Amino acid sequence: MRVLGIETSCDETGVAIYEQNQGLLAHSIYSQTDIHAPFGGVVPELASRDHLQKALPMIQATIKQVRLTEKQIDGVAYTKGPGLAGALLVGAMLGRSLAFALNVPAIGVHHLEGHLLAPFLEENPPAFPFLALLVSGGHTELVKVEGLGRYSIIGDTLDDAVGEAFDKTAKLLGLGYPGGAALAQLAEQGDAKRFHFPRPMTDRPGLDFSFSGLKTFAANISREHELTAQTKADIACAFQEAVVATMVIKCRRALKETGMKRLVIAGGVGANLALRAGLQALAEKLDIKLYFPRLEFCTDNGAMIAYVGCQRLMAGEREDLAVSVYPRWPLDELR
Ligand code: KG4
Ligand code: ZN
């Protein structure tokens, strides 16, 4: 079965083709970052309008790129939620209508399930069960993954998502939006010893996170010091170190509690190299195996949607013709 995947939940248009035996055949991503950057955040209406402009030409180009025709698509998957309602509707209407016109089945995919299963796009994917650390702009979750559709959230953030904390701190340092990757880059020039950020919620039991305090801590330091280039780098470095240390402590706890031997890192913040290194060191210490998708499949993409769609279509699931999207859709409500 050859499945076309469409991702439009936020500010990236992603398109991919996944075949059940051959794996990923083609994918392309278009990022709207430049459109939203002047506003310091994603403007939902602009996101929807841009998906409308980009999606169909990208679908056509991606199909052509692997010398296929539309008639060789056996199913269409699109992101059904969670995400921005208008942006989701663009992909859902397009995907569902395309499937209708081609007379093939369609399936609406949970965006976070896409992130969770993105490591299956790589060689040597993990076996079930595994523990996943899902870290993106909207989510910070520890998830026990027992099989396709069998997810339980065992840790969550009480306030900001970790990517959101990266972005807000980056904004404070004048790094633009979204500034997670820029902050990580700046951190490399920082002195880790100059400032010490707290490790939120690590002094009490449990697997939940809280990141809004780190952002406030960064704001306070910024007020008390002249923001030279070096000071900015030092703040970035100490902030990132606190995030990584906190994640490592919580992952260690979750691995011990669940007895899991495999850890998957998913979501946009999974692109952070310091986080990867910290968790790699933990994995070696605990003698467990660490998995993460390649950098471009950590952030939003169509490949993960095509992959999940293919699994669910093969299992016989189908979307009916009445198109619906779920802007809010808790992962554990998914079957
Ligand atoms: O998964 P994603 O593309 O979109 C959501 O579903 O949220 O994640 C985007 C988030 C943004 O907050 C961005 O700043 C962050 O991932 N991010 C990073 C890095 N690359 C992207 N955060 C820290 N370090 C990075 N290298
Ligand atoms: Zn995402």
Side-chain angles (χ1 to χ4, degrees):
M1 175 174 249
R2 207 179 278 119
V3 176
L4 173 72
I6 305 169
E7 153 64 34
T8 64
S9 69
C10 190
D11 59 345
E12 259 108 25
T13 314
V15 172
I17 303 167
Y18 186 91
E19 203 273 338
Q20 66 180 98
N21 299 314
Q22 293 166 278
L24 187 65
L25 302 181
H27 83 101
S28 55
I29 303 173
Y30 170 80
S31 173
Q32 303 177 349
T33 301
D34 292 346
I35 295 173
H36 303 294
F39 301 95
V42 177
V43 183
E45 183 65 21
L46 296 182
S48 313
R49 290 185 196 195
D50 199 61
H51 286 307
L52 273 176
Q53 295 283 307
K54 299 297 185 314
L56 209 40
M58 277 174 68
I59 290 170
Q60 189 183 44
T62 307
I63 292 173
K64 271 200 180 146
Q65 189 191 324
V66 279
R67 296 197 172 77
L68 293 171
T69 68
E70 287 74 15
K71 297 215 164 49
Q72 290 167 292
I73 298 296
D74 306 310
V76 181
Y78 54 84
T79 307
K80 189 171 179 172
L84 302 170
L88 288 167
L89 278 171
V90 175
M93 269 310 294
L94 187 57
R96 188 65 198 87
S97 305
L98 206 53
F100 179 63
L102 295 171
N103 198 24
V104 298
I107 184 77
V109 171
H110 194 296
H111 181 80
L112 297 184
E113 181 174 40
H115 277 305
L116 282 180
L117 302 186
F120 289 90
L121 292 163
E122 308 299 351
E123 282 176 35
N124 306 317
F128 295 118
F130 57 80
L131 179 75
L133 175 66
L134 187 56
V135 276
S136 72
H139 297 270
T140 309
E141 274 149 31
L142 276 163
V143 188
K144 216 163 89 180
V145 179
E146 280 163 302
L148 184 73
R150 293 167 61 204
Y151 314 117
S152 28
I153 296 172
I154 58 171
D156 205 344
T157 180
L158 304 181
D159 41 58
D160 291 355
V162 63
E164 194 180 350
F166 262 99
D167 292 339
K168 286 177 177 170
T169 305
K171 205 167 175 177
L172 189 87
L173 300 177
L175 300 175
Y177 179 90
L183 187 147
Q185 212 176 350
L186 183 64
E188 284 174 28
Q189 279 122 51
D191 171 5
K193 297 211 174 62
R194 179 152 169 224
F195 302 115
H196 185 81
F197 279 58
R199 273 62 169 144
M201 315 247 323
T202 55
D203 56 352
R204 65 189 95 165
L207 298 172
D208 286 336
F209 303 92
S210 164
F211 290 107
S212 68
L214 287 185
K215 170 197 68 191
T216 311
F217 198 85
N220 290 342
I221 295 183
S222 312
R223 253 193 311 272
E224 290 156 10
H225 294 79
E226 190 195 342
L227 277 186
T228 61
Q230 188 58 49
T231 297
K232 284 187 190 179
D234 296 342
I235 294 173
C237 184
F239 168 84
Q240 179 173 268
E241 204 181 66
V243 170
V244 172
T246 304
M247 293 289 178
V248 169
I249 292 169
K250 296 285 163 145
C251 284
R252 180 206 305 261
R253 237 179 240 179
L255 286 163
K256 289 219 163 123
E257 276 182 28
T258 58
M260 295 283 182
K261 297 282 175 230
R262 291 171 283 268
L263 175 64
V264 161
I265 309 173
V269 184
N272 187 281
L273 298 178
L275 179 64
R276 287 180 174 220
L279 291 172
Q280 185 62 54
L282 174 70
E284 280 161 26
K285 213 179 289 171
L286 299 182
D287 195 26
I288 60 141
K289 210 159 157 24
L290 184 65
Y291 299 84
F292 35 76
R294 74 192 83 160
L295 293 176
E296 70 210 274
F297 294 159
C298 276
T299 46
D300 291 349
N301 65 85
M304 65 187 194
I305 303 303
Y307 173 78
V308 172
C310 185
Q311 306 311 309
R312 288 191 171 264
L313 285 169
M314 285 195 304
E317 285 182 48
R318 300 288 184 264
E319 209 67 40
D320 63 29
L321 283 178
V323 177
S324 54
V325 296
Y326 301 149
R328 298 177 66 89
W329 188 7
L331 184 63
D332 35 17
E333 282 178 15
L334 185 67
R335 282 288 158 289

